[in-house]
Amino acid sequence: QKEVEQNSGPLSVPEGAIASLNCTYSDRGSQSFFWYRQYSGKSPELIMSIYSNGDKEDGRFTAQLNKASQYVSLLIRDSQPSDSATYLCAVIGGNTGKLIFGQGTTLQVKP
Amino acid sequence: GAGVSQSPSNKVTEKGKDVELRCDPISGHTALYWYRQSLGQGLEFLIYFQGNSAPDKSGLPSDRFSAERTGGSVSTLTIQRTQQEDSAVYLCASSPDRSQETQYFGPGTRLLVL
């Protein structure tokens, strides 16, 4: 079992729709969770961090964390073509203290 | 500087040659990380520096890979006797402290081993 798992996609949504990106992790002791966006040929950039159960909203982005289910998600409201990118979930392992990345989910927002 | 810089941006080399990749972190950032990203894959952790020391080298794939950091700033990742499977994008990131929480990535070095 991978430490951080994501569906590689591609996830295709029409412009204006809600895109839902999901991530599961194996280390139950993990406390810190992050979403990075990576445009093709570019380096990852941090867009959201979340540490407590529940929702955290930042503009069109909402991160959701459920530690009991070991599940973290990212919702993008009013998706735009400029949101088309690969979204990487990253988790700081409770045992290792190391930031572990998932494989990433490719999002395509179609005009 | 304004951000993490890496050089060269692209490197093409022949199998068996040695290569050096350079990372210049954000000024004042004490933590520095190297990752490798193969085509269509996620980020593979290679090594982490806190200051000049490397408390975690667990991700280095073989003894052909080594890294150093001098003056708590610039880091060099060296790959000896390169193999075709070493072809990837090598990303460097830095963060203000050892918490690893906010990592800022450089643009990467695209390595192609022929």
Side-chain angles (χ1 to χ4, degrees):
Chain A
Q1 179 188 7
K2 292 180 181 176
E3 293 179 79
V4 180
E5 293 207 50
Q6 297 179 255
N7 187 322
S8 61
L11 172 66
S12 183
V13 300
E15 183 174 357
I18 296 175
S20 178
L21 305 162
N22 304 314
C23 173
T24 58
Y25 59 95
S26 61
D27 186 343
R28 187 169 287 278
S30 299
Q31 298 295 327
S32 304
F33 308 86
F34 309 90
W35 284 98
Y36 284 79
R37 178 176 60 199
Q38 186 175 26
Y39 291 114
S40 181
K42 302 295 184 182
S43 56
E45 57 177 326
L46 180 68
I47 55 172
M48 289 286 287
S49 59
I50 186 166
Y51 307 97
S52 304
N53 279 330
D55 295 0
K56 179 182 178 182
E57 187 174 318
D58 183 1
R60 294 186 297 112
F61 298 96
T62 298
Q64 299 175 317
L65 175 61
N66 184 326
K67 290 184 181 178
S69 301
Q70 295 173 240
Y71 176 94
V72 58
S73 65
L74 179 70
L75 301 178
I76 306 175
R77 290 182 299 283
D78 188 23
S79 296
Q80 302 297 308
S82 59
D83 294 327
S84 298
T86 296
Y87 290 80
L88 299 166
C89 173
V91 176
I92 293 185
N95 292 328
T96 66
K98 186 185 301 183
L99 188 63
I100 306 296
F101 285 85
Q103 298 282 69
T105 297
T106 299
L107 173 66
Q108 297 174 346
V109 181
K110 300 195 172 180
Chain B
V4 179
S5 60
Q6 293 185 245
S7 61
S9 55
N10 292 281
K11 176 72 177 178
V12 180
T13 190
E14 294 179 350
K15 178 181 173 182
K17 300 284 188 182
D18 298 351
V19 295
E20 280 191 358
L21 311 179
R22 176 188 167 109
C23 172
D24 201 340
I26 293 172
S27 178
H29 280 194
T30 59
L32 185 148
Y33 315 83
W34 283 99
Y35 296 89
R36 179 169 70 174
Q37 188 172 35
S38 301
L39 188 63
Q41 301 297 310
L43 274 72
E44 176 188 4
F45 170 81
L46 297 179
I47 188 169
Y48 153 62
F49 286 93
Q50 181 61 36
N52 290 337
S53 64
D56 190 348
K57 303 179 182 179
S58 62
L60 293 177
S62 75
D63 59 7
R64 297 186 295 105
F65 288 72
S66 63
E68 65 176 13
R69 188 179 185 195
T70 55
S73 182
V74 172
S75 176
T76 302
L77 177 69
T78 301
I79 309 173
Q80 295 178 309
R81 305 181 302 282
T82 52
Q83 303 295 311
Q84 289 180 332
E85 60 263 27
D86 299 334
S87 297
V89 176
Y90 289 82
L91 289 160
C92 174
S94 69
S95 66
D97 55 39
R98 63 187 303 162
S99 71
Q100 301 196 43
E101 294 196 353
T102 306
Q103 294 191 23
Y104 298 89
F105 282 84
T109 293
R110 285 155 184 77
L111 175 65
L112 177 61
V113 182
L114 300 176

